[in-house]
Amino acid sequence: MLDLLSLGNTELEKALEYGMAEAEYLGKQFIGITLSNGNGLIFYVNPYEDEIQKIFLMSIEENKEKNLLGIFHYEGGNTYFIYEITDLSEIQSILNSQSILYVEVIKDVLEDFLLESVAR
């Protein structure tokens, strides 16, 4: 988590602090951040250790150059491509062009999908 905080993005810092507190309270492992372009960042965390284990980009657009974790389809809704982010500079470039709209702890169907996907 310290690596992300070293990027100097106060908006991200506040979102992660809030998300970690909620994840710890609810006993959850995924924090979702919705961006102004409709995409999202997903943080796979250990909230009890303030540790980020993996970071994912959830996008409505397919990108064959990124490492695909899986394709998630909301029943009666949109289809999202979920990619693993391994380079922190990618997060910096995403956040330089977008703002954070919403922070939430991920639960229900998306949580089940993500837990199954990261277990593979």
Side-chain angles (χ1 to χ4, degrees), residues 1-2 4-5 12-33 42-55 103-106:
M1 185 153 146
L2 292 175
L4 277 178
L5 298 179
L12 177 62
E13 184 178 332
K14 289 177 184 178
L16 285 174
E17 286 175 5
Y18 172 77
M20 280 289 196
E22 285 293 305
E24 182 177 1
Y25 179 76
L26 297 172
K28 299 292 182 178
Q29 296 177 293
F30 294 99
I31 299 168
I33 294 179
I42 298 172
F43 297 87
Y44 179 39
V45 301
N46 176 341
Y48 307 107
E49 301 290 328
D50 280 340
E51 180 180 283
I52 297 172
Q53 297 171 348
K54 293 187 181 208
I55 304 170
V103 179
E104 66 181 318
V105 172
I106 296 173

Side-chain angles (χ1 to χ4, degrees), residues 6 8 38 58 60 74 77-78 106 109:
S6 71
M58 188 169 175
I60 55 174
Y74 278 108
N78 294 330
I106 296 173
V109 178

